[in-house]
Amino acid sequence: MGLRKPPLYDAHADAGARFTEFGGWDMPVEYDSIKAEHAAVREAVGIFDVSHMSEIEVSGPDATALMQRLTTNDVTALDPGDSQYSAIVNDEGVIIDDTVVYRLPDRDDRVYLFIPNAGHDEEMYDRWTSFRDEWDLDATVDDVTEDWAMFAVQGPDALETVTDAAPDANLGELSKFQATFADVAGVECWVARTGYTGEDGFEVLCPWDDAETVWSSLDATPCGLGSRDTLRMEMGYLLSGQDFDPEDEPRTPYEAGIGFVVKRDTEFVGRDALERQKEAGVDETFVGFTLLDRGVPRHGYDIATEDGDVVGVVTSGTMSPTLSEPIGLGYVPTEYAEEGTVLYVLVRGREKRAEIVTPPFIDR
Amino acid sequence: MFEIPDDKKYLESHEWTTTDGDTVRVGISDFAQDELGDVVFVELPAEGDELAAGDEFGVVESIKAVSDLYAPISGTVVAVNEDLFDAPELVNDDPYGDGWMLELEPSNTDEFDDLLSPEEYREQTE
């Protein structure tokens, strides 16, 4: 099967990007240096093409009911132009995907746009339409993934960059997680003050065919998925399919440390299972750690106790470009999750001391 | 274009070695450091370790990849570049100079004949 490509694929290639497969898409992983791109976002501003992210639009009289029953957060708390982080879980409360749900300006009824991760669009479209039909709800579900290109402009200078491209939009007035339609370089875009880096920033959704106009109007260092990954790891943000995965790493929001998106006073698929887990408590929990010995923790490495008992697993790890220290994320039994606890990560069979740290790893 | 100095020999797995003098130096090529991207960690053997040609002698890790290192020839490790422990980026900045990895006292200099010439290695990287 061929890989899907973002609209600016050729432009990225011309700019010297190297590509990687991610979620069925062929995306830029780095242009010049992951470290340099990472530093640009922490210190100035970078721009990521994240057009591989999925977009599903839900409208119609029962749009709110459908969204409420398929996501764990409370969509009724959203006014037009608001957004919220949320989880999509199965009957057992296991996370299928995490997402940001935007409430668009009303048309006849409320309209929502949510952003599943790369490659999840078809699965989510099927899930939404099949539950809609099962519950006999009146809602229209559209997979608009290839209608929208998406760029993330992130860093302390992000506001300046988007304001230069959209001078009339007063984007500085948006608070975190607010969004608006705005004219960016003459193109109507959905601009949200959201991101995945820990820095101030904006995510810009623009019509697929206008991608070049909008991208070239945003003056920032082009960044690939490599630095997107190191930036999110420094914040302890989850990566779908890696830090949780319904097949390979089945985890509930409580285990994954995102219990704050579960609103148990709303009705949603998986609520009863999560209610039970909330009352019983979790056996294992998502933690951050730094390695005290030399080495780099990587996805899939075991975490052991001093006695050599394997008790956990690394789900993400890297050498933190900001700290120049090895950092990682993973799951351990709750009794080992306290900050300062020392465990051992097995790097090619050798034990490296790992101290539990509560993310973010940097001050943000 | 990647630098492939004429005074070195190469392995298909992108290590280089010098062939003059009593000891030989080993590192990875300019092409290899560029493919890896930002090098963040290097693991090397101890002085005194015996290596046979083709043995894994260590690991080089960039942010995005982990890559094994292979000995171009057989010999005894007489020095390792400890500067790389604190400054692994030397592998990117100067792969044939300050980014060298280890020095061997070769046990069988005939093995140099099995290595790739600069021309042969250049063909492989094109």
Side-chain angles (χ1 to χ4, degrees):
Chain A
M1 200 180 79
L3 294 177
R4 299 161 81 180
K5 289 181 176 178
L8 297 181
Y9 183 90
D10 292 338
H12 298 317
D14 289 345
R18 289 160 193 263
F19 291 81
T20 190
E21 188 277 329
F22 190 82
W25 291 71
D26 201 15
M27 298 302 292
V29 64
E30 71 179 314
Y31 290 81
D32 180 26
S33 147
I34 291 174
K35 268 191 188 170
E37 291 160 28
H38 183 107
V41 172
R42 288 277 178 254
E43 293 160 18
V45 57
I47 182 167
F48 302 81
D49 187 341
V50 290
S51 299
H52 61 317
M53 299 297 283
S54 305
E55 288 97 14
I56 308 277
E57 190 181 288
V58 184
S59 59
D62 294 329
T64 300
L66 185 59
M67 291 301 297
Q68 191 76 328
R69 291 170 72 168
L70 290 175
T71 61
T72 61
N73 212 330
D74 181 7
V75 295
T76 65
L78 298 174
D79 290 323
D82 285 347
S83 70
Q84 65 189 189
Y85 182 49
S86 196
I88 299 158
V89 301
N90 66 18
D91 259 342
E92 283 90 49
V94 167
I95 309 170
I96 304 170
D97 205 2
D98 62 350
T99 190
V100 170
V101 178
Y102 295 102
R103 185 169 159 199
L104 299 180
D106 291 350
R107 296 209 278 266
D108 289 335
D109 300 291
R110 294 182 180 193
V111 184
Y112 300 90
L113 180 73
F114 72 101
I115 314 288
N117 282 278
H120 286 258
D121 45 341
E122 204 175 304
E123 176 194 359
M124 292 306 153
Y125 175 81
D126 290 347
R127 184 173 181 82
W128 255 247
T129 51
S130 62
F131 275 109
R132 174 198 62 192
D133 296 346
E134 185 183 326
W135 295 328
D136 201 19
L137 294 176
D138 184 0
T140 303
V141 179
D142 289 308
D143 181 351
V144 291
T145 300
E146 292 186 18
D147 293 353
W148 293 104
M150 183 169 172
F151 307 134
V153 181
Q154 302 280 302
D157 299 339
L159 176 58
E160 200 180 318
T161 290
V162 294
T163 300
D164 285 349
D168 302 329
N170 291 324
L171 295 171
E173 288 174 10
L174 293 178
S175 48
K176 204 165 163 53
F177 276 96
Q178 276 193 321
T180 184
F181 278 108
D183 177 325
V184 181
V187 176
E188 188 178 55
C189 296
W190 180 248
V191 182
R193 204 158 195 170
T194 48
Y196 190 48
T197 61
E199 300 299 328
D200 185 21
F202 296 82
E203 290 178 304
V204 179
L205 284 92
C206 76
W208 190 267
D209 293 338
D210 295 315
E212 174 65 45
T213 305
V214 173
W215 173 270
S216 58
S217 76
L218 295 164
D219 184 17
T221 301
C223 297
L225 296 188
S227 56
R228 184 171 159 85
D229 198 37
T230 53
L231 288 157
R232 69 96 191 167
M233 275 191 251
E234 287 183 344
M235 294 303 294
Y237 295 155
L238 300 165
L239 176 60
S240 178
Q242 187 167 308
D243 297 308
F244 61 82
D245 183 289
E247 303 294 324
D248 299 330
E249 194 63 53
R251 296 294 178 180
T252 68
Y254 294 121
E255 292 167 334
I258 56 166
F260 61 91
V261 302
V262 180
K263 298 293 153 64
R264 282 172 296 126
D265 54 352
T266 69
E267 276 299 324
F268 61 87
V269 172
R271 193 192 72 95
D272 294 348
L274 292 179
E275 183 88 53
R276 286 193 297 275
Q277 189 181 51
K278 179 72 182 172
E279 281 165 19
V282 295
D283 295 332
E284 295 188 350
T285 191
F286 192 62
V287 294
F289 61 85
T290 58
L291 283 196
L292 304 177
D293 297 320
R294 296 181 60 245
V296 184
R298 303 267 181 189
H299 176 76
Y301 288 4
D302 286 330
I303 301 174
T305 63
E306 193 166 11
D307 300 332
D309 296 333
V310 172
V311 292
V313 65
V314 177
T315 52
S316 290
T318 192
M319 186 67 77
S320 157
T322 303
L323 302 172
S324 295
E325 280 176 20
I327 62 169
L329 303 168
Y331 292 91
V332 298
T334 306
E335 66 256 41
Y336 298 109
E338 199 181 323
E339 179 127 9
T341 303
V342 173
L343 288 166
Y344 297 83
V345 172
L346 302 181
V347 178
R348 292 181 288 279
R350 278 186 240 166
E351 295 174 350
K352 309 279 185 179
R353 287 175 300 150
E355 182 176 339
I356 302 294
V357 173
T358 305
F361 293 97
I362 57 170
D363 293 329
R364 282 295 180 281
Chain B
M1 270 312 287
F2 298 105
E3 205 189 328
I4 300 176
D6 285 337
D7 64 347
K8 295 183 170 50
K9 291 201 134 191
Y10 300 85
L11 274 186
E12 274 177 32
S13 49
H14 306 290
E15 292 79 5
W16 58 260
T17 183
T18 50
T19 58
D20 52 341
D22 294 337
T23 62
V24 299
R25 275 197 171 182
V26 178
I28 65 167
S29 72
D30 186 30
F31 176 86
Q33 68 78 22
D34 187 73
E35 281 288 302
L36 282 167
D38 300 304
V39 171
V40 294
F41 179 72
V42 180
E43 193 169 274
L44 298 173
E47 283 176 34
D49 282 4
E50 300 282 340
L51 298 175
D55 278 359
E56 276 179 36
F57 71 76
V59 168
V60 56
E61 298 196 36
S62 65
I63 290 174
K64 65 186 178 188
V66 182
S67 192
D68 292 325
L69 297 164
Y70 296 94
I73 59 161
S74 307
T76 306
V77 178
V78 293
V80 298
N81 186 358
E82 292 178 358
D83 291 348
L84 300 183
F85 299 152
D86 289 327
E89 63 274 11
L90 290 172
V91 176
N92 295 117
D93 297 343
D94 192 7
Y96 299 113
D98 292 342
W100 67 278
M101 291 178 172
L102 53 85
E103 285 179 348
L104 291 170
E105 194 173 275
S107 54
N108 179 3
T109 50
D110 290 348
E111 288 172 351
F112 284 120
D113 298 338
D114 302 333
L115 300 173
L116 299 178
S117 68
E119 294 72 32
E120 289 166 328
Y121 182 64
R122 186 170 290 112
E123 279 171 32
Q124 186 196 314
T125 59
E126 276 166 3

